[in-house]
Amino acid sequence: MAELGHEVIGIDVDPVRIESLQKGIAPFHEPGLDALLRENSSRLTFTRDMSAAADASVHFVAVGTPQSADGSVDMTYVNGAIEGIVPYLSKGDLVVGKSTVPVGSAERLSAHVTPTGALLMWNPEFLREGFAVEDTLSPDRLVYGIPEGTHGETATSILDDVYAGILAKDTPRLVMNFATAELVKVAANSFLATKISFINAMAEIADVTGANVTQLADAIGCDTRIGRRFLNAGIGFGGGCLPKDIRGFVARAEELGVGEALSFLKVVDDINMRRRARVLDVLTEELGSLAGNTIAVWGISFKPDSDDIRDSPALDIAESLARSGATVISADPEGWKPAQARVERAGLEAALSTTSDHRTAVTGADALVIATEWKVFQDENPTTIGELMSQRIVVDGRNCIDSRAWKAAGFRYRGMGRS
Ligand code: UGA
């Protein structure tokens, strides 16, 4: 928002996060974000004081909506943010919801906002971690969920002014009611999750038939109706969005009495979770047993160029290996930092250590699992790596390395749906 030319006040309850942002340092790893914070520092302030919202006329609510224990969406933070902001709203202000919420939330929250004379709209966010800056400044679409009637027109025109710099680039802008906008977000993530689980189901078939799932994806992806993107088979999807969004969507559909319509998403989730177990099975086949072996895992964060370890398949696999009696060393250029505290909380620090250096991790290891496709891992020289290891076994959990080169360096190569 500051890059688009606006004066911005960032409000959060976390003092550590605010302190970091005040110094111009993003509290998480996201390419390009620190530079933007520095370049726009004259238009940016950060505070824990909610009353600072009184100085603004447009209020974005972008707090997290984590998964509750029963799979439904935990709305505590969204409800708290709306409740916190209401005393500082003025007539004509606009509150813009960005958080991913169960369908029906905007209608409900609108009843809290409108008595102040302010308006509420819902404007879901589609950015990908690792590309957050690019996706925010050049999104492939803007979705506006608006109230009915003239209020909707007023809200649309205010948000058009906010996004003028983006709309000037001919970015498609789709205007719809609250429920549709809320559904667009979860439907998009459900579709992406389904696409990944579809190709992972094909990987299961490929593993028993000798087919190669990468070649299969390349071939079906040539059909523009299918498309090649998001057809990378491997250890499946993780992170703070796809897994919890499909579960939250199922929970909401069940509440609405249409759970059957989304029963396929439970299968999507099951296929996804089987991918993690598959790595342990392959390692057991190769090593005879997991207990007593030392296993290096390259990757901790749920995807490259991120330090986000929420529901990370890589970290989940490392923890399962440690629980199975293996000694595990996990390496990740960024994810190693947040991982340490989680490993300690899980009581696994004796069996699972973390490092930023992937070569340290493989030294003396009996097998290597590649669990997150960081470029630095893909560029690694297999001969050098082989010389550091006790046994040359590699499980390519992301089908991201050159299998021929690794085999030529003496490795037993096991891919996910390809050999
Ligand atoms: C996802 C969506 O892609 C964004 O559009 C959305 O805005 C965001 O969630 C959100 O709801 O906030 P993100 O979680 O950053 O973005 O990550 P993705 O790039 O979607 O990847 C998710 C997971 O799927 C990762 O673990 C990745 O490794 C995995 N994946 C992705 C595959 O296993 N195969 C693929 O072909 C693609």
Side-chain angles (χ1 to χ4, degrees), residues 134 221 249 268 348 350 369:
E134 188 185 321
F249 196 13
V268 165
L348 289 171
V369 178

Side-chain angles (χ1 to χ4, degrees), residues 294-301 309 312-322 326-337 339-340 342-343 348-349 351-363 365 367-372 374 377:
T294 301
I295 298 169
V297 180
W298 282 359
I300 298 176
S301 51
I309 59 168
S312 167
L315 187 51
D316 195 10
I317 288 167
E319 288 177 341
S320 299
L321 289 168
T327 301
V328 185
I329 304 125
S330 279
D332 193 290
E334 293 293 335
W336 69 277
K337 293 176 214 159
Q340 202 48 49
R342 180 168 131 178
V343 169
L348 289 171
E349 63 270 35
L352 170 52
S353 52
T354 58
T355 171
S356 61
D357 179 21
H358 63 282
R359 287 197 177 181
T360 303
V362 290
T363 305
L368 164 63
V369 178
I370 302 179
T372 312
W374 285 89
F377 302 159

Side-chain angles (χ1 to χ4, degrees), residues 20-167:
S20 166
L21 286 161
Q22 281 167 341
K23 291 184 197 142
I25 303 165
F28 46 79
H29 176 79
E30 187 61 46
L33 192 53
D34 282 334
L36 272 195
L37 285 171
R38 274 195 307 275
E39 285 159 25
N40 293 289
S41 60
S42 63
R43 282 193 291 273
L44 276 169
T45 50
F46 296 98
T47 176
R48 288 170 63 200
D49 179 5
M50 192 62 120
S51 71
D55 295 335
S57 52
V58 180
H59 310 263
F60 284 90
V61 174
V63 293
T65 47
Q67 183 181 318
S68 304
D70 64 359
S72 64
V73 179
D74 179 351
M75 287 290 285
T76 313
Y77 304 116
V78 175
N79 295 339
I82 296 282
E83 204 178 298
I85 209 170
V86 158
Y88 304 105
L89 293 177
S90 309
K91 192 169 180 335
D93 280 5
L94 180 65
V95 178
V96 187
K98 293 240 72 136
S99 310
T100 303
V101 293
V103 57
S105 304
E107 195 68 56
R108 174 176 63 78
L109 294 167
S110 186
H112 296 270
V113 169
T114 44
T116 65
L119 295 173
L120 177 82
M121 65 189 289
W122 220 263
N123 171 225
E125 180 52 59
F126 303 102
L127 68 82
R128 297 159 298 165
E129 291 183 27
F131 299 89
V133 170
E134 188 185 321
D135 286 352
T136 303
L137 296 176
S138 304
D140 50 17
R141 80 286 213 191
L142 291 170
V143 169
Y144 294 8
I146 59 164
E148 277 174 20
T150 52
H151 282 158
E153 287 161 26
T154 310
T156 301
S157 117
I158 298 172
L159 201 59
D160 278 353
D161 283 345
V162 172
Y163 286 141
I166 294 174
L167 291 168

Side-chain angles (χ1 to χ4, degrees), residues 197-278:
S197 277
F198 174 83
I199 201 65
N200 279 330
M202 295 305 111
E204 289 188 28
I205 308 289
D207 269 332
V208 296
T209 54
N212 179 317
V213 76
T214 305
Q215 291 172 349
L216 183 143
D218 290 344
I220 64 171
C222 284
D223 182 333
T224 52
R225 293 172 302 173
I226 296 173
R228 178 64 179 81
R229 295 177 75 190
F230 268 68
L231 281 183
N232 293 324
I235 57 172
F237 57 82
C241 303
L242 263 47
K244 66 110 180 154
D245 283 357
I246 60 170
R247 291 169 199 152
F249 196 13
V250 168
R252 183 66 181 136
E254 281 168 358
E255 266 171 28
L256 294 168
V258 285
E260 215 175 317
L262 297 186
S263 56
F264 73 97
L265 285 180
K266 292 184 189 164
V267 179
V268 165
D269 202 359
D270 289 346
I271 294 170
N272 192 52
M273 296 312 284
R274 276 208 298 276
R275 303 313 294 162
R276 304 180 186 189
R278 171 75 187 151

